[in-house]
């Protein structure tokens, strides 16, 4: 019986492989899309296995020699014929295709195809990969392309370019291989997380499963909160400003002294920062003390605001705050100097069309204005995912966030998850656990990668490699270690992930060896040390 089962498995595998078309240099060189509305071919270039792939744009770059063979198809997609606007989109088609398509998201205001993730994630795992510049060219923190009064470009960035690229990607893939994709997936973090949520909220049939990290999905509240956080400490010459060395050398060690051991292990990671009632008063400067070794009364007041949720005067919830555990990254996030540039650009070019706006001009009335205008329909906060999650579509969401995120409060991820949870219970017979799972990552900074700012952080003291965008490679591509593979197994085999095992590499470089592994737990569970080798995931449990 066992032998018969093994033979059957081998036969089925062989048939599946035989049924999946392959690409080739000839197919790529001769490829020309046929009757794809509003889509024109820019170029089709074949890369042999292990050829040098060196591609860069203002947002993303790649320079490697270890990819399998693939065809790079560059497209120009008309997004608004009347305005004459267009997006540049690329579809990377591996010779050894797995029959699936993976759309890759962007970050910040970035206008560029995410070539690093097309080559780092999609092609090596056999996916036909799709990414777009969202209709403009810019770095992640430059929003000047959006205005004043460039509303059409904001709509492209808000949702339209991604949606049209998904449609084009599916058709290009079908024409290239002569077979439609059997499944469509999505992977993105930050703005990329927002893009994935927006797509399933408005176009629930686009994806079978999305993997999103720390989504910037509540833009009309995220950007006011960001300015609010800046103003908690700025200007830099004020008595409330907290220099980076005080964050790193004074506040960070005290946070760990008070809260590190709460999870059963003193390791520089706070597994559940919500359990940490950090008391900055213990660091109060004594008379005559060097202020680089302590904090003043004004700085203590600022810290209480920084770690608090942001509510306005009528007790309207605006956004979450920072959580204890990310202090080494926070001065390079929203509470340092110079201030993070992206929020002010959002007000100048997206909302107010006023290039003279400065942070000092901020007031709470702008929150309501942002909610009313919602530039480019960019908010992705609809809690109703029933069209995506219900039969016969049965779509799935895997969501991750680092508790030490310094750019988007992890409270935002919890808040959105809970709004979906509440809506689902009150308006359907669905169980949220059957279609949406949130995984929290203790100690991880924004998306777990070195992006946006500088090299002052490397993803945090965290198991920050588990298959997300722009992360170091996961320990393995199996579903236990690779969140994208976990999604594929959930969609195609019905096996939902209970945990994901992340890895921390020394210096966040795989070649430098493993520092430790940890389980990432499904919210609301949290990871706890149960004994054994603290560098091994098997020594922890989710409770």
């Amino acid at each position: 019986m066992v032998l018969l089962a093994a033979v059957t498995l081998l036969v089925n595998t062989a048939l599946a492989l035989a049924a999946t078309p392959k690409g080739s240099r000839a197919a790529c060189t001769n490829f020309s899309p046929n009757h794809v509305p509003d889509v024109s071919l820019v170029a089709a270039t074949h890369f042999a296995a292990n050829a040098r792939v060196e591609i860069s744009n203002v947002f993303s770059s790649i320079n490697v020699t270890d990819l399998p063979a693939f065809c790079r198809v560059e497209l120009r997609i008309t997004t608004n014929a009347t305005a004459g606007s267009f997006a540049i989109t690329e579809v990377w088609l591996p010779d050894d295709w797995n029959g699936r398509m993976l759309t890759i998201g962007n970050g910040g205001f970035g206008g560029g195809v995410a070539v690093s993730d097309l080559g780092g994630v999609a092609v090596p795992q056999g996916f036909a990969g799709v990414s777009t510049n969202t209709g403009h060219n810019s770095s992640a923190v430059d929003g000047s392309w959006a205005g004043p009064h460039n509303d059409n470009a904001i709509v492209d960035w808000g949702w339209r370019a991604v949606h049209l690229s998904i449609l084009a990607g599916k058709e290009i893939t079908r024409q290239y291989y002569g077979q439609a994709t059997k499944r469509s997936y999505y992977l993105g973090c930050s703005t990329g997380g927002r893009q994935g949520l927006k797509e399933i909220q408005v176009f629930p049939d686009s994806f079978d499963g999305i993997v999103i990290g720390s989504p910037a999905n509540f833009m009309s509240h995220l950007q006011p909160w960001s300015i609010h956080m800046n103003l908690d400490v700025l200007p830099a010459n004020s008595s409330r400003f907290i220099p980076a060395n005080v964050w790193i050398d004074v506040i960070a060690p005290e946070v760990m002294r008070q809260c590190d051991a709460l999870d059963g292990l003193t390791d520089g990671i706070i597994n559940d920062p919500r359990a940490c009632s950090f008391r900055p008063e213990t660091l109060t400067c004594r008379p005559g003390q060097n202020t680089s070794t302590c904090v003043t009364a004004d700085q203590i007041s600022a810290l209480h605001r920084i770690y608090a949720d942001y509510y306005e005067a009528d007790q309207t919830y605006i956004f979450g705050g920072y959580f204890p555990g990310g202090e080494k990254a926070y001065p390079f996030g929203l509470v340092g100097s110079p201030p993070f540039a992206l929020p002010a650009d959002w007000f100048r070019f997206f909302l107010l069309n006023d290039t003279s706006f400065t942070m000092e001009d901020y007031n709470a009335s702008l929150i309501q204005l942002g909610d009313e205008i919602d530039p480019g329909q960019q908010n992705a906060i609809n809690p109703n995912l029933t069209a995506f999650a219900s039969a016969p579509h049965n779509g799935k969401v895997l969501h991750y966030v680092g508790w030490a995120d310094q750019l988007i409060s992890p409270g935002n991820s919890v808040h959105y998850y809970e709004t979906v949870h509440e809506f689902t219970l009150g308006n359907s017979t669905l169980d949220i656990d059957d279609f949406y799972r949130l995984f929290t990552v203790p100690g991880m900074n924004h998306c777990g990668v070195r992006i946006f700012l500088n090299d002052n952080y490397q993803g945090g003291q965290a198991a920050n490699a588990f298959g997300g965008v722009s992360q170091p490679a996961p320990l393995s591509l199996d579903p236990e270690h690779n969140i994208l593979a976990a999604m594929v197994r959930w969609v195609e085999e019905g096996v939902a992930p209970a945990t994901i095992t992340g890895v921390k590499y020394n210096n966040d470089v795989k070649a430098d060896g493993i520092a430790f592994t940890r389980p990432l737990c499904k919210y609301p569970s949290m990871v706890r040390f149960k004994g054994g080798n603290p560098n091994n995931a098997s020594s922890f449990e989710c409770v």
Side-chain angles (χ1 to χ4, degrees):
M1 182 65 70
V2 173
L3 178 60
L4 178 60
V7 171
T8 301
L9 177 62
L10 288 172
V11 170
N12 289 340
T13 301
L15 288 173
L17 290 172
T20 303
K22 292 182 177 292
S24 67
R25 176 176 295 277
C28 182
T29 303
N30 296 321
F31 180 66
S32 179
N34 184 31
H35 300 302
V36 185
D38 299 320
V39 176
S40 60
L41 178 67
V42 176
T45 308
H46 190 267
F47 291 85
N50 301 316
R52 179 166 297 280
V53 179
E54 184 175 2
I55 303 168
S56 64
N57 57 58
V58 70
F59 172 72
S60 178
S61 64
I62 186 171
N63 186 358
V64 297
T65 57
D66 59 356
L67 296 186
F70 72 97
C71 180
R72 177 196 183 197
V73 176
E74 301 169 71
L75 305 171
R76 175 178 168 136
I77 300 176
T78 299
T79 57
N80 185 331
T82 302
S85 60
F86 62 91
I88 298 299
T89 296
E90 297 193 20
V91 185
W92 289 22
L93 302 158
D95 284 9
D96 292 323
W97 182 44
N98 65 14
R100 307 175 180 97
M101 190 177 91
L102 178 68
T103 303
I104 303 286
N106 303 85
F109 293 147
V113 171
V115 294
S116 61
D117 290 307
L118 288 175
V121 179
V123 166
Q125 297 182 46
F127 292 88
V130 178
S131 180
T132 177
N133 75 342
T134 70
H136 72 278
N137 299 311
S138 80
S139 71
V141 295
D142 177 14
S144 60
W145 53 268
H149 301 290
N150 196 0
D151 295 346
N152 189 65
I154 297 173
V155 173
D156 279 349
W157 177 83
W159 64 271
R160 187 167 57 197
V162 169
H163 179 63
L164 295 178
S165 295
I166 295 163
L167 299 179
K170 288 182 178 180
E171 180 59 19
I172 293 297
T173 301
R174 185 192 69 79
Q175 291 192 19
Y176 183 77
Y177 293 113
Q179 178 177 303
T181 57
K182 63 182 181 181
R183 295 289 184 181
S184 175
Y185 296 96
Y186 179 85
L187 184 67
C189 190
S190 195
T191 284
R194 180 191 65 79
Q195 291 166 325
L197 285 176
K198 186 70 176 181
E199 189 69 19
I200 66 169
Q201 290 167 12
V202 181
F203 305 102
D205 293 332
S206 289
F207 300 123
D208 296 291
I210 68 169
V211 179
I212 56 167
S214 194
N217 61 308
F218 206 171
M219 288 290 286
S220 64
H221 283 205
L222 167 61
Q223 303 313 331
W225 169 76
S226 300
I227 297 285
H228 168 79
M229 292 285 279
N230 287 147
L231 294 176
D232 282 339
V233 295
L234 294 177
N237 61 359
S238 71
S239 61
R240 62 183 177 270
F241 183 73
I242 305 172
N245 67 292
V246 174
W247 276 106
I248 294 169
D249 299 330
V250 179
I251 299 172
E254 180 64 10
V255 168
M256 289 299 158
R257 188 191 69 79
Q258 293 186 24
C259 298
D260 189 5
L262 293 176
D263 51 32
L265 180 66
T266 302
D267 59 352
I269 303 173
I270 299 173
N271 287 342
D272 186 358
R274 297 171 303 172
C276 173
S277 299
F278 171 51
R279 296 172 52 242
E281 289 79 6
T282 61
L283 297 172
T284 304
C285 292
R286 290 185 176 276
Q289 185 174 353
N290 184 332
T291 55
S292 68
T293 65
C294 56
V295 292
T296 67
D298 286 348
Q299 291 171 328
I300 289 171
S301 294
L303 286 169
H304 282 298
R305 292 192 297 272
I306 287 167
Y307 289 112
D309 288 349
Y310 178 23
Y311 287 87
E312 265 309 322
D314 61 356
Q315 293 303 300
T316 298
Y317 174 82
I318 306 302
F319 218 70
Y322 275 172
F323 285 77
E327 287 70 25
K328 292 182 179 179
Y330 293 162
F332 309 109
L334 300 176
V335 291
S337 182
F340 188 37
L342 189 153
D345 267 10
W346 186 82
F347 281 96
R348 290 186 192 111
F349 302 112
F350 286 71
L351 183 64
L352 300 176
N353 292 301
D354 179 1
T355 58
S356 68
F357 174 87
T358 67
M359 289 193 305
E360 290 71 26
D361 298 320
Y362 172 74
N363 63 78
S365 70
L366 297 179
I367 301 173
Q368 182 177 352
L369 181 64
D371 285 341
E372 291 172 354
I373 295 177
D374 187 16
Q377 301 88 53
Q378 61 195 251
N379 277 346
I381 57 176
N382 187 346
N384 182 2
L385 301 184
T386 55
F388 174 73
S390 297
H393 188 66
N394 299 315
K396 311 295 184 189
V397 179
L398 288 179
H399 180 165
Y400 62 89
V401 66
W403 279 122
D405 196 313
Q406 78 282 33
L407 295 181
I408 302 176
S409 171
N412 176 64
S413 286
V414 174
H415 177 75
Y416 179 70
Y417 173 88
E418 292 292 11
T419 64
V420 175
H421 192 189
E422 177 186 0
F423 182 92
T424 302
L425 284 173
N427 297 275
S428 77
T429 59
L430 295 171
D431 183 341
I432 192 171
D433 213 37
D434 291 337
F435 71 90
Y436 186 174
R437 298 191 170 198
L438 169 63
F439 291 83
T440 54
V441 188
M444 190 174 83
N445 299 150
H446 187 58
C447 296
V449 295
R450 185 192 293 119
I451 57 172
F452 289 159
L453 300 176
N454 48 43
D455 291 343
N456 285 295
Y457 71 99
Q458 296 181 312
Q461 176 68 1
N464 58 1
F466 46 85
V469 290
S470 299
Q471 296 177 353
L475 193 61
S476 166
L477 293 180
D478 65 41
E480 285 71 32
H481 300 86
N482 177 13
I483 195 168
L484 178 58
M487 171 57 78
V488 170
R489 183 168 67 174
W490 192 11
V491 168
E492 299 181 16
E493 300 176 30
V495 180
T499 63
I500 304 288
T501 300
V503 60
K504 173 71 172 180
Y505 297 114
N506 294 313
N507 305 311
D508 286 325
V509 176
K510 187 173 185 177
D512 290 351
I514 297 171
F516 57 83
T517 58
R518 292 286 163 85
L520 312 182
C521 296
K522 178 173 67 72
Y523 176 84
S525 297
M526 293 293 142
V527 64
R528 185 176 68 184
F529 182 61
K530 63 182 181 180
N533 182 352
N535 294 326
N536 194 314
S538 63
S539 300
F540 298 81
E541 60 184 349
C542 295
V543 295

